[in-house]
Amino acid sequence: MNSFKTLRRFLNRQRWLPYLLLACLMTACAQGLQAAHWRWADFIDTLALDECFELRGPLPPAVATALPETKDFYLIALTHDVPRPHIAKLVRLLSKAKVVALDLMFVNHADELIASEEHLYRKELLQWKADTDTLTEAFKDAKNVVVGTWPETRRIPIPGAVGKTKTDIIWQQPAPALWNAARFRAHLRVAVSPQDGIVRRVSVFENTPTSLDAPAQRTPSLSLAVAAGALGLSARDVDKLQINDGWLKLGSRRHYVGPDGLMTIHYLGKRDCFDNNEVRYHYNVALDNYTPDDFAGGIVFVGRTDFKSKDDITTPYGDMSGIMVHMNAVATLLSGSGPPIPLPPWQTMLIALVCSVILIFPLLRLPLWGSLAAAAALCALVFLACATLFIKRHSYFPFSVPVLAVFLTYNCVALYEYSRARAMLGRFVGQDLASALLHPMRDLSLGGRTEVATALFCDLRRFSAATERLSPEAVEPLLNAYTNAVSETALRHGGRVIDYFGDGVFVLFRKNPAGADHALQAALAALEAEKATRVLLAEWSARTGVAMHISVGIHTGSMHIGVVGSEEHMKLGAVGDAVNVTSRVQGLTARCGFSILVTRECYDLIAGRIPFTPCGFFAVKGRDQEVEVFGAGDKQEIPTVDVPLQSPMLLDAATDIRAEAINL
């Protein structure tokens, strides 16, 4: 407990340290959420990436197709399902191209039939086999074709569970002869974002099992196979490619690939980017009007581009056909810059930490809405920095890290400031009044209730004489040590410090829910406070040459306890005759020779439990009846020279000033 208090005091003295620790902790949490691919972090990152593309803007078709990585691109557009013999003619026409990418699904119809149906489709089976053989020969002759496999979702029965199934993915392939005749075998899958269905990345490699029992094959993406073929690599070279520490080495190029094996596509433009007349050809036009030499050295993409094919994919630049997405991915791999590269995690954390630290200043100096606007402005500036980095340097940083760091820091600092302000408010007005002030469903107003309680007034005798011999700076440590000892003792016994003024401490003891005797607790607190301050006062008395003693007056009676003051300035207080009597009784200690005096009303409640000495009856100002008091604690010498303390009139005047000070 003491170590916790020591730590809290240290943090209170070093006010900057808790905020810096909070900023560091929240930055680490933000980085962890982003690294764990928390769905909201991924959503913020993908949204920011889309906005970066939007700010950069799509390249015009004339510019996009003239880039070094795309100047040899050709698009053969199909508007409907084309028979395989026509595809074979097209492949032979493109025999002099570097690579021919076929974004087509060559379904193996024979596998779709069951044994009992084969005799019904005998003629069709023969025709399908002849067409496949024709296309297979064209693949073998061209030696530049990339053919793909595609995933299909199927419901598979669970072994041993009758009527229950599970969803599994089976990769469909063309007929084995056709599949093996191609130069490259690739997968046609793209990575669709689960948050919004937009394709921003592509899987570089996929494991493609053709059945539940078949082993998974490591298959490159269509874009990787085409880029490798354009760079002169063989299928065996592609099989040897590895992703090391997030980087894929393709020839002399190094491309960043995420830890999940996904590569970000650096889109060049919209749907019309590769749909202009200089690049796009209808397959009939190509067959009728062009020769193999017209496509020599080119990279040719063949696929459906019409809306009827249901192959449209949503991208940051709108909808485009699947073959155009693959073309953008190939352009990304062939470009010198490659896909956008994220900053190292430590740089991202540094940016987030700087944002969190900067946010602390408006949080501490501006009101709620002002600090919220500052947080929003800070996020906007960070996004502009991210977009500038993306456009100018072809790089970016996960925007979710600084955004989450700002969000978490804002809330944690606000929560810390709230708890700190509540604790500080409790020190000034008490925890119970602080709770009432901060209660969301209660409006604090002036007033209270009348109840029987015990008031304790504590003072230092001859404190004024001692202060004459000390500087104001030297008085403060004495006063703080004395009031701290009295207050802590009172709190341990269930008392509530109502007010401080000079060297006086006003404490109130009330009946608590446990039913503790408030009069007994007040007397015990007074005795313990006297003991706790004895060494302290002896030390200061020796230093000043003035003998100082604690003097305590205790009285039990009816008083009005509640919120007093004005509508603009309130505090918890107690008023009534009992409070005045307590102050007068405290002033009688100089005449009775005891450091602690209690009235008859208090003595009757604690008689027999604490030894007290009767001191007699005394007249006090403001009351017609004399007050009977009892003494305890250190026996002090009754002053015979100090006239102000012997004069009842002057004594009553002094105590009256104190009574007015505490009579709220």
Side-chain angles (χ1 to χ4, degrees), residues 305-325:
T305 59
D306 59 311
F307 289 101
K308 296 179 182 179
S309 65
K310 298 181 180 180
D311 192 29
D312 268 23
I313 295 174
T314 305
T315 72
Y317 286 136
D319 292 343
M320 62 178 64
S321 61
I323 189 63
M324 293 181 179
V325 173

Side-chain angles (χ1 to χ4, degrees), residues 531-561:
K531 182 179 179 181
T533 57
R534 188 175 298 155
V535 176
L536 172 69
L537 295 180
E539 177 184 345
W540 282 93
S541 296
R543 184 180 303 182
T544 60
V546 178
M548 289 181 287
H549 303 280
I550 191 174
S551 62
V552 180
I554 304 174
H555 176 60
T556 301
S558 179
M559 60 190 74
H560 192 75
I561 303 172

Side-chain angles (χ1 to χ4, degrees), residues 108-122 124-125 128:
N108 188 7
H109 297 295
D111 292 342
E112 297 179 344
L113 300 178
I114 60 178
S116 60
E117 294 177 333
E118 291 182 356
H119 71 282
L120 299 176
Y121 293 91
R122 186 175 303 169
E124 287 79 359
L125 284 172
W128 292 340

Side-chain angles (χ1 to χ4, degrees), residues 22-228:
L22 280 175
C24 294
L25 181 60
M26 293 305 102
T27 300
C29 289
Q31 183 69 32
L33 290 173
Q34 192 275 335
H37 293 285
W38 184 46
R39 68 179 212 173
W40 285 106
D42 287 345
F43 175 75
I44 294 173
D45 288 336
T46 54
L47 184 63
L49 186 60
D50 289 347
E51 292 301 320
C52 288
F53 275 113
E54 188 67 26
L55 289 176
R56 191 211 67 179
L59 298 179
V63 176
T65 55
L67 295 174
E69 61 267 24
T70 60
K71 63 182 181 62
D72 295 326
F73 279 12
Y74 299 96
L75 172 60
I76 306 298
L78 307 181
T79 56
H80 58 275
D81 290 334
V82 178
R84 295 185 183 185
H86 288 264
I87 298 296
K89 292 181 181 179
L90 187 61
V91 169
R92 289 191 173 92
L93 174 67
L94 305 174
S95 59
K96 292 187 178 182
K98 286 184 179 179
V99 186
V100 177
L102 300 181
D103 185 19
L104 301 172
M105 298 180 183
F106 297 103
V107 179
N108 188 7
H109 297 295
D111 292 342
E112 297 179 344
L113 300 178
I114 60 178
S116 60
E117 294 177 333
E118 291 182 356
H119 71 282
L120 299 176
Y121 293 91
R122 186 175 303 169
K123 183 177 180 180
E124 287 79 359
L125 284 172
L126 293 174
Q127 184 61 48
W128 292 340
K129 185 178 182 307
D131 294 344
T132 301
D133 291 342
T134 302
L135 188 57
T136 300
E137 291 301 320
F139 283 3
K140 291 179 179 179
D141 294 340
K143 298 180 181 178
N144 59 2
V145 175
V146 180
V147 69
T149 178
W150 60 97
E152 285 190 3
T153 302
R154 290 187 179 182
R155 303 291 297 178
I156 306 298
I158 299 177
V162 180
K164 294 184 178 181
T165 60
K166 64 177 180 179
T167 302
D168 210 339
I169 295 178
I170 301 298
W171 290 80
Q172 301 296 318
Q173 292 181 355
L178 196 63
W179 176 257
N180 295 324
R183 177 182 176 184
F184 293 101
R185 289 158 290 279
H187 72 82
L188 305 178
R189 191 178 192 176
V190 292
V192 180
S193 172
Q195 285 87 8
D196 50 19
I198 297 178
V199 173
R200 302 176 182 86
R201 301 186 295 174
V202 63
S203 177
V204 176
F205 288 99
E206 284 278 2
N207 292 323
T208 58
T210 57
S211 66
L212 294 178
D213 300 329
Q217 300 177 2
R218 183 171 177 265
T219 307
S221 65
L222 180 69
S223 54
L224 177 59
V226 173

